[in-house]
Amino acid sequence: MTVEAASLKAVPATRPQRKRSERSKAASIALHAALVIASLIAVFPVFWVLVTSFKPDARAVETTPTLFNESSVDNYVRILSGDKGDFLAWFGNSVLIALMTTVIAVFLSATTGYAASRFRFPGKRSLMLSFLVVQMFPFAVLIVPLYNILLALGLQGTSFGLVLVYCTTAVPFCTYMLKGYFDTIPTDIDEAGRVDGLSPFGVFWRLVMPLARPGLAVTAFYAFLTAWGEVAFASAFLSAADESKTLAVGLQVFVQQNRTEWGHLAAASILVAVPAIAVFYLVQRFLVTGLSSGAVKG
Amino acid sequence: MRRFLDRHWYAYAMVLPVVVVIAVLVLYPLAQGIFFTFTNINEGNIANPVLDRAATYTGVGLTNYLNVLSGDPSFGSFWSTLIRTLIWTFGCVLCHYGFGLALAVLLNRQVKGRALYRVLLILPWAVPAFISAFAWKYMFNAQYGIINQFLRALGLPDPIWLGQSDWALVAVVIVNVWLGVPFMMVALLGGLQSIPGDLYEAAEMDGASPWQRFRHVTLPGLRSVSSTVVLLGIIWTFNMFAVIYLITGPNPNTRILVTYAFERFFSGASRDYAVASTYGVLILSVLLVFASVYRRALRKQGEVW
Amino acid sequence: MAEVAYVKASRIFSGNPPVRAVDELSLDVSDGEFLVLVGPSGSGKSTALRMLAGLEDVDEGAIKIGGKDVTNVPPKGRDIAMVFQSYALYPHMTVAENMGFALKLRGVNKAEIKEKVAEAAKMLDLTKYLERKPKALSGGQRQRVAMGRAIVREPSVFLMDEPLSNLDAKLRVETRANIAALQQRLGTTTIYVTHDQVEAMTMGHRVAVLKDGLLQQCDTPRALYDKPANAFVAGFMGSPAMNLKTVPLTSEGAKLDGIVVPLERHAMDTASAEGLNEVTFGIRPESLALVGSQHHGMEMTVELVEELGADALVHGAVRIGASSERFVVRVDGRTPPTLGQTVKVAVRDATEIHLFHPESGFRLTN
Ligand SMILES: Nc1ncnc2c1ncn2[C@@H]1O[C@H](COP(=O)(O)OP(=O)(O)OP(=O)(O)O)[C@@H](O)[C@H]1O
Ligand SMILES: [Mg+2]
């Protein structure tokens, strides 16, 4: 009898009730530890470039690296003052080219993605398949034919020619992504718009585009990055004059034959990375929804 | 015909710009590139408008293909390079997918500071590739690189990462994994968020353990995203030349098909466009074959894609 | 204000085999009329409506609005307004912007738009919500915004595709009455799609019944109920459904469980002209009655009693020939029979019997 009573009492005591949503402390710590380590790995290279960017070139190659070593903003000053080549002109070119690429690629992939999402037309399947094939293109190897065609079009050496090349590399994926996003917008909205008096283009422009902002933001981010950090095409298709280079091309001056000016290169890299990271920060809250609906639908 | 145009002209008007751009900038260069593979074109015999010199290259039939496919080291040891390319591609994509999925699952939980973790983890995607390449090259340096200093501090061996050894391949794989995980993670995170929560609840009611829920709810729910991003990942990695080229340069230990083609194209006095194009065509063919096999395999499993 | 006409209009979806979603539909709707399209799921109601809206191609035949052939006119040229089942409100616009959008596209000046929107909002009790986004509204409020968007335009035809199906039962009954009253007041020609035959009966001036893309009958609710043109309409309209059984025919009438129900002359003549020895016999539950055991009637074993309050529905098995068929009888709610009991059922009035051709389903009775 007494035994029974004791065991009855013991039951609730040995099984403490835990709320469903709560995690055990250990699991919680492990989760945070994993995320912290992953974040450190993700951020560290950028952080290290930042640290290096303040060091003089000579200090940057010491065998026992330290956080600070005669650190100053000299590298930045010298780069921005044009001591190492016309940095500001390069920056301007890069901004112009990246923005043009962004606008054109977003526009092209939005119209195509919308047509692919909403209309059934002969040739649609082959169009989408050809986009997949274009992704497989080893573009770097086609520089000569590309050069020839740009020359024939009178675009060789101009920013616009380069922008078009970037668009061809960015548009196929962007179209997939946007098609997926448009698929998540109910077609009823389009139809309501048609009944309210819009043409199909009107529906696209006044209803679907405003509703697709997250998808468009991600597309813009992707297109911007395609153009912003690209080296091979930029060095092949822009004229060789110093003032028409992009940043990515211009920065190669810091990587000389057998000696790299690490400190300056680091500072310049930070200057190049900042706009890209700023764009990233603007769109990051859309990234997950924007990208995935594209990838989910494929 | 009128009716056909009447019905479809909106659609065609909207895809026309892209079709034109792609036809001009892809189809035409592709055709010309294929044509080059049957010639001996190089810097010395190509038409040069600046020097006002006409083209003098001649057709050589299948010689380029025969040379490349023979596996001759002076033509890039095609077969062993192909194998290295496959190791590189599948190694990278496996890590992308594995780490991407793991991080996506972690981020999909209710965890404090989730937004901050997400921003930090996606950051590598936002850094221009040539800067990442430079940063890693600097960190991998055998003398003053922070990585070796770290390894020495732990009492581990400190290899010469970017030298003429397979360590170089390991190094570029590490860099490419670092670069590619954010994309996978974001795509898979979106996929996870699109799995309805009541599926998990139903599985829990049926008595599924957390692992079983992952196995039977999460993974099937991610199938459609996964099949797309894995295919894209494979294609992109297969053709990823910037990372390798910027970090190790023309190093035979990190040579994959694209970098060799590019090497052939850019370095050396003669700039052998013919062989570079031959490599380009072969790369495209390998990927096409792979993609169609992949799609067929998916379709067999009932995936409509 | 306009009359609407479908002239042998068809919509064929390509496929294998092609689907004739709407098959040679001919229908005239007069000015100011409230016409309800009803039918089971997949019968082509939405397709027919969307053809009228210009959202779906017309593959054969024509569509006229206000006497004008609009078969190839895009939606914006048809002067119609539509209420969607999902409401299809523009998520990025406020209620006021949603309602005024069509006017804005037509270039109406701002003050006038504002006035018209305010007026419609007052009519629909939406004034408080004009500055909200649709996301911040309840289902019933969204439904009213969708109505408002249609009203503001003052179109010549309203189209509505199951606008009430997302509302709860009570709100649905209320809104049903409101829509009917509104239509009465505005006097705008309205085509209303529903799969709910109660909605059809209560709202429509006339009701068109569709099945598999084919128009079965179009008439006033009363006429549909009293004189269904075929067995399908007879079974579809009315709740609970009419009892429809195939029964053997003798020279005196239809034979049911030992009794012979005398049939009207005309029906007998038609049946014998066709050489039929069976007919489809239809009788509504309220046209049957329980009678005392001394009377003539069918013997029915009670299998289920549904008490509805005022009356009760008695489901039971009756032998017809070799098989046993289920019948439903509406009886007084206060004295229903009990389960398992055997009762006698008789036809109240022979004129309420409907007879149909056993194969084609066409009506034989007058
Ligand atoms: N785009 C399409 N392609 C092929 N078939 C279609 C298409 N749209 C509709 N159908 C077919 O046309 C028929 C009629 O469809 P419709 O949507 O008009 O039915 P409904 O009467 O509105 O049904 P519900 O009450 O379920 O809404 C169905 O058999 C449907 O499968
Ligand atoms: Mg419908």
Side-chain angles (χ1 to χ4, degrees):
Chain A
M1 186 67 207
T2 47
V3 177
E4 255 177 27
S7 68
L8 274 179
K9 239 183 244 164
V11 172
T14 49
R15 298 204 48 188
Q17 289 287 307
R18 179 148 50 89
K19 275 215 196 116
R20 276 183 54 84
S21 56
E22 276 174 22
R23 249 188 307 273
S24 75
K25 199 133 201 174
S28 184
I29 290 174
L31 177 63
H32 277 279
L35 286 172
V36 167
I37 290 173
S39 304
L40 279 181
I41 295 175
V43 174
F44 186 79
V46 180
F47 168 74
W48 196 240
V49 173
L50 186 66
V51 166
T52 310
S53 69
F54 294 108
K55 296 178 188 171
D57 291 340
R59 296 278 86 82
V61 294
E62 293 208 330
T63 41
T64 48
T66 53
L67 271 189
F68 298 101
N69 199 339
E70 299 178 24
S71 296
S72 71
V73 294
D74 281 358
N75 292 335
Y76 289 95
V77 172
R78 291 190 51 206
I79 288 170
L80 290 175
S81 66
D83 225 20
K84 290 280 175 181
D86 202 345
F87 189 86
L88 292 179
W90 301 343
F91 195 88
N93 292 335
S94 278
V95 169
L96 185 72
I97 288 174
L99 285 186
M100 281 210 292
T101 305
T102 307
V103 171
I104 296 178
V106 168
F107 180 76
L108 288 180
S109 38
T111 51
T112 315
Y114 182 72
S117 161
R118 291 301 202 265
F119 302 123
R120 308 177 66 190
F121 54 94
K124 175 165 130 182
R125 245 185 85 78
S126 16
L127 184 71
M128 294 315 275
L129 274 184
S130 71
F131 284 163
L132 187 67
V133 175
V134 170
Q135 310 255 327
M136 301 175 187
F137 251 62
F139 272 100
V141 183
L142 291 178
I143 286 185
V144 172
L146 274 172
Y147 184 96
N148 289 342
I149 184 94
L150 289 179
L151 202 63
L153 295 172
L155 293 174
Q156 164 58 26
T158 65
S159 333
F160 188 64
L162 185 61
V163 166
L164 282 187
V165 174
Y166 289 151
C167 284
T168 31
T169 59
V171 161
F173 178 67
C174 292
T175 304
Y176 265 102
M177 202 152 63
L178 277 179
K179 175 189 179 295
Y181 199 85
F182 292 148
D183 284 344
T184 65
I185 300 174
T187 48
D188 278 5
I189 299 278
D190 300 42
E191 296 184 340
R194 299 276 309 278
V195 171
D196 268 351
L198 288 169
S199 70
F201 298 120
V203 169
F204 169 69
W205 191 248
R206 302 188 64 159
L207 297 180
V208 175
M209 288 294 264
L211 288 176
R213 266 198 222 118
L216 294 173
V218 181
T219 314
F221 172 61
Y222 185 87
F224 181 86
L225 280 187
T226 303
W228 186 251
E230 203 280 334
V231 191
F233 292 146
S235 42
F237 298 144
L238 285 178
S239 75
D242 193 53
E243 71 274 5
S244 62
K245 283 178 182 167
T246 63
L247 280 175
V249 178
L251 288 193
Q252 305 304 316
V253 302
F254 298 113
V255 192
Q256 261 108 28
Q257 288 300 308
N258 39 24
R259 193 177 68 85
T260 304
E261 299 173 37
W262 288 115
H264 283 93
L265 185 50
S269 297
I270 292 296
L271 291 174
V272 175
V274 163
I277 291 175
V279 171
F280 161 67
Y281 192 75
L282 287 179
V283 302
Q284 56 90 13
R285 67 202 167 95
F286 299 127
L287 270 179
V288 176
T289 44
L291 178 74
S292 68
S293 46
V296 172
K297 305 273 173 133
Chain B
M1 188 64 206
R2 264 233 45 171
R3 199 173 155 75
F4 182 83
L5 276 184
D6 262 2
R7 182 174 316 182
H8 298 300
W9 79 273
Y10 293 116
Y12 285 124
M14 292 185 105
V15 299
L16 189 69
V18 168
V19 171
V20 168
V21 170
I22 286 193
V24 172
L25 289 185
V26 175
L27 285 188
Y28 177 79
L30 175 66
Q32 203 175 38
I34 293 176
F35 168 69
F36 285 169
T37 64
F38 301 110
T39 68
N40 63 353
I41 189 168
N42 61 33
E43 186 64 17
N45 57 21
I46 194 172
N48 191 329
V50 182
L51 302 178
D52 199 18
R53 188 187 68 198
T56 54
Y57 55 86
T58 52
V60 294
L62 291 174
T63 317
N64 290 320
Y65 288 99
L66 293 177
N67 283 340
V68 170
L69 293 177
S70 70
D72 188 336
S74 60
F75 288 94
S77 317
F78 181 80
W79 299 108
S80 59
T81 308
L82 177 62
I83 288 172
R84 191 178 302 104
T85 311
L86 294 178
I87 294 172
W88 149 265
T89 305
F90 288 101
C92 284
V93 174
L94 207 67
C95 294
H96 286 156
Y97 190 79
F99 287 121
L101 181 59
L103 291 174
V105 168
L106 294 185
L107 275 185
N108 198 34
R109 306 203 164 190
Q110 287 301 333
V111 46
K112 238 183 237 152
R114 180 158 80 163
L116 178 66
Y117 283 129
R118 203 179 60 197
V119 172
L120 295 180
L121 288 172
I122 306 176
L123 186 79
W125 188 9
V127 180
F130 77 98
I131 291 178
S132 314
F134 142 70
W136 281 95
K137 190 175 176 181
Y138 180 58
M139 297 199 311
F140 270 127
N141 190 291
Q143 297 155 35
Y144 46 81
I146 183 103
I147 291 177
N148 274 356
Q149 198 197 14
F150 181 69
L151 292 177
R152 279 193 294 269
L154 292 182
L156 293 169
D158 53 339
I160 297 179
W161 286 99
L162 304 180
Q164 305 284 322
S165 72
D166 283 335
W167 283 115
L169 188 60
V170 175
V172 285
V173 168
I174 290 175
V175 178
N176 196 42
V177 168
W178 180 83
L179 271 176
V181 163
F183 174 81
M184 284 283 183
M185 183 189 80
V186 169
L188 292 172
L189 188 55
L192 286 177
Q193 289 175 355
S194 72
I195 300 174
D198 44 9
L199 276 187
Y200 287 100
E201 283 162 12
E204 213 175 331
M205 302 295 284
D206 290 342
S209 68
W211 168 249
Q212 284 170 323
R213 290 202 293 268
F214 179 76
R215 182 72 196 64
H216 297 289
V217 178
T218 310
L219 287 185
L222 287 178
R223 268 198 53 175
S224 142
V225 202
S226 305
S227 58
T228 313
V229 291
V230 166
L231 178 62
L232 281 177
I234 288 175
I235 292 173
W236 288 343
T237 312
F238 200 91
N239 277 337
M240 170 60 83
F241 101 101
V243 170
I244 295 183
Y245 206 78
L246 291 174
I247 292 184
T248 64
N251 180 339
N253 293 95
T254 57
R255 174 188 291 165
I256 63 170
L257 296 178
V258 210
T259 56
Y260 183 72
F262 197 71
E263 231 171 83
R264 205 61 196 213
F265 183 91
F266 256 124
S267 49
S270 66
R271 294 199 160 191
D272 196 339
Y273 300 143
V275 172
S277 305
T278 309
Y279 263 89
V281 171
L282 289 172
I283 289 168
L284 192 57
S285 319
V286 171
L287 284 175
L288 280 176
V289 169
F290 169 78
S292 52
V293 171
Y294 185 89
R295 282 168 56 97
R296 192 150 312 151
L298 280 187
R299 201 165 308 149
K300 217 171 252 166
Q301 292 173 36
E303 194 95 351
V304 193
W305 179 77
Chain C
M1 311 296 122
E3 61 276 16
V4 168
Y6 288 86
V7 187
K8 294 201 157 195
S10 302
R11 173 73 176 122
I12 303 153
F13 288 112
S14 53
N16 201 9
V19 183
R20 296 187 74 94
V22 172
D23 199 353
E24 302 207 346
L25 176 63
S26 288
L27 202 57
D28 285 296
V29 187
S30 50
D31 189 10
E33 184 172 357
F34 195 120
L35 180 96
V36 177
L37 280 177
V38 71
S41 185
S43 55
K45 312 174 295 281
S46 300
T47 309
L49 194 74
R50 291 161 48 82
M51 285 161 78
L52 181 53
L55 296 171
E56 203 79 73
D57 290 341
V58 180
D59 294 313
E60 292 164 6
I63 287 185
K64 294 180 180 170
I65 297 177
K68 239 179 43 210
D69 188 332
V70 294
T71 312
N72 291 312
V73 177
K76 65 187 255 192
R78 297 193 180 196
D79 195 21
I80 43 158
M82 183 154 168
V83 179
F84 291 79
Q85 178 172 4
S86 64
Y87 312 142
L89 303 178
Y90 310 125
H92 58 304
M93 299 182 192
T94 62
V95 169
E97 285 167 341
N98 260 288
M99 286 167 62
F101 189 60
L103 295 181
K104 189 167 138 195
L105 291 178
R106 254 190 257 158
V108 177
N109 71 50
K110 275 203 183 125
E112 197 178 333
I113 296 179
K114 206 168 165 197
E115 188 186 320
K116 287 197 165 159
V117 167
E119 194 183 323
K122 211 168 123 208
M123 203 178 331
L124 294 164
D125 200 12
L126 284 170
T127 313
K128 271 188 294 189
Y129 309 113
L130 279 179
E131 292 315 312
R132 288 209 201 159
K133 292 268 174 72
K135 214 166 42 177
L137 297 178
S138 75
Q141 291 159 346
R142 283 181 211 181
Q143 202 278 336
R144 298 208 300 272
V145 176
M147 289 294 300
R149 190 166 68 177
I151 293 171
V152 165
R153 303 211 2 221
E154 298 172 6
S156 48
V157 185
F158 282 139
L159 308 180
M160 306 189 191
D161 191 352
E162 311 204 16
L164 305 185
S165 57
N166 290 333
L167 302 182
D168 68 53
K170 186 155 171 280
L171 199 55
R172 198 170 336 170
V173 175
E174 223 175 279
T175 316
R176 196 163 83 196
N178 288 343
I179 292 181
L182 198 68
Q183 196 270 344
Q184 192 76 22
R185 190 156 108 211
L186 300 171
T188 310
T189 316
T190 303
I191 320 276
Y192 185 104
V193 164
T194 178
H195 61 256
D196 178 351
Q197 47 92 19
V198 178
E199 246 170 59
M201 296 288 283
T202 51
M203 296 176 82
H205 299 156
R206 281 195 304 154
V207 177
V209 184
L210 283 178
K211 183 198 170 204
D212 296 336
L214 290 163
L215 179 63
Q216 305 291 311
Q217 187 177 5
C218 177
D219 217 326
T220 60
R222 190 75 255 159
L224 279 185
Y225 194 77
D226 290 343
K227 285 192 176 233
N230 59 36
F232 173 78
V233 176
F236 189 74
M237 301 303 287
S239 167
M242 182 188 284
N243 298 297
L244 282 168
K245 310 293 164 193
T246 304
V247 301
L249 206 56
T250 66
S251 54
E252 291 99 71
K255 232 174 113 191
L256 289 129
D257 184 41
I259 65 159
V260 172
V261 184
L263 301 174
E264 68 176 79
R265 200 61 270 144
H266 173 80
M268 293 295 284
D269 290 348
T270 326
S272 59
E274 297 248 353
L276 297 174
N277 51 10
E278 274 185 339
V279 286
T280 301
F281 174 94
I283 184 130
R284 297 207 181 270
E286 51 269 40
S287 304
L288 290 171
L290 299 186
V291 291
S293 53
Q294 72 280 16
H295 288 86
H296 250 340
M298 318 181 279
E299 295 222 330
M300 184 171 93
T301 316
V302 177
E303 292 177 335
L304 173 67
V305 178
E306 287 180 295
E307 304 219 30
L308 302 176
D311 39 27
L313 299 175
V314 180
H315 300 245
V318 173
R319 296 196 61 76
I320 295 182
S323 63
S324 142
E325 297 277 353
R326 193 167 246 240
F327 273 74
V328 184
V329 184
R330 192 187 286 270
V331 302
D332 190 331
R334 278 163 302 187
T335 54
T338 54
L339 222 60
Q341 196 184 337
T342 304
V343 291
K344 274 216 159 153
V345 178
V347 176
R348 274 181 200 270
D349 183 347
T351 60
E352 289 175 15
I353 294 170
H354 307 263
L355 289 183
F356 305 98
H357 192 287
E359 274 125 40
S360 67
F362 285 127
R363 184 177 183 84
L364 298 173
T365 2
N366 243 342

